[in-house]
Amino acid sequence: MRGNIFGVKAFSIWVIGYGNPQRRDDGLGPYVASRLKEALKEKDEVLFHKLHQLEPDLAEDLREASLIIFVDATIKKVKGGWQWERVEPEPGRPYPPTHYIKPSFLLGMIESLYHQCPRAWLISIQGDDFSFGEGLSLEAEKRACQAITGIVNFIETEIFLLTSKSK
């Protein structure tokens, strides 16, 4: 088995919720990843991770994924409270200009290093309270629940499609 930071084999679908749970609504990504893990616990094709931030080390682990779903909080006002955005690889520098890595930069690393790139989506959920403390604001939690329903439906459809193609 090739080495990777999580010590697991490649999975078809990865859900990565990232953000800081000690900054209230910034913890939306990890919160959603945890809830999705509960909702989809019977789905062996899906791997879930909660992170503070995206790291370059993820590139090796994600290179064989069929699909990556990144989940993060946003301070922007979003129509409906949450949104899907297709993530395309960002070609560019070999190293990120800051400590913060965007999903597009991570995909660009995968493409540059491994000459392949999984499909990816970023789900941004509007947060209201980014102050120090734990627990989501009531409105952010409602938005997270709406996003979870949409993501579960999407993943179940993707699993069906992946399974159909392999037959």
Side-chain angles (χ1 to χ4, degrees):
M1 180 167 103
R2 74 171 210 283
N4 64 47
I5 64 172
F6 299 114
V8 295
K9 296 178 183 176
F11 283 74
S12 296
I13 300 172
W14 288 63
V15 175
I16 301 175
Y18 61 101
N20 185 350
Q22 281 77 46
R23 296 295 303 261
R24 307 246 330 140
D25 291 349
D26 195 40
L28 278 161
Y31 174 81
V32 168
S34 291
R35 297 280 308 274
L36 287 168
K37 185 174 183 177
E38 291 172 25
L40 296 166
K41 62 184 169 197
E42 303 296 321
K43 307 294 183 190
D44 294 335
E45 303 88 349
V46 187
L47 184 64
F48 304 89
H49 281 293
K50 302 180 298 181
L51 306 167
H52 268 330
Q53 63 186 21
L54 300 177
E55 300 282 342
D57 297 0
L58 283 171
E60 181 179 357
D61 296 311
L62 297 175
R63 72 181 179 179
E64 295 176 18
S66 300
L67 173 68
I68 306 168
I69 299 172
F70 297 99
V71 184
D72 192 18
T74 182
I75 60 173
K76 296 177 185 174
K77 299 290 183 206
V78 178
K79 185 177 180 180
W82 65 286
Q83 68 181 13
W84 291 80
E85 178 184 348
R86 183 69 189 253
V87 181
E88 298 296 333
E90 176 186 317
R93 297 171 273 234
Y95 300 102
T98 66
H99 291 282
Y100 175 76
I101 294 177
K102 299 184 304 185
S104 58
F105 184 86
L106 189 57
L107 289 181
M109 285 183 62
I110 294 167
E111 188 174 66
S112 175
L113 293 169
Y114 305 108
H115 309 290
Q116 60 190 28
C117 189
R119 291 178 300 123
W121 292 90
L122 171 63
I123 287 80
S124 300
I125 305 169
Q126 181 182 323
D128 298 316
D129 182 356
F130 292 87
S131 62
F132 289 104
E134 293 185 15
L136 301 175
S137 66
L138 184 59
E139 289 301 312
E141 188 170 356
K142 287 179 186 176
R143 293 180 199 115
C145 290
Q146 293 169 347
I148 289 165
T149 300
I151 296 167
V152 166
N153 291 335
F154 180 77
I155 287 175
E156 287 178 342
T157 301
E158 286 293 317
I159 290 172
F160 175 77
L161 293 173
L162 287 170
T163 306
S164 296
K165 286 180 184 177
S166 66
K167 289 183 180 179

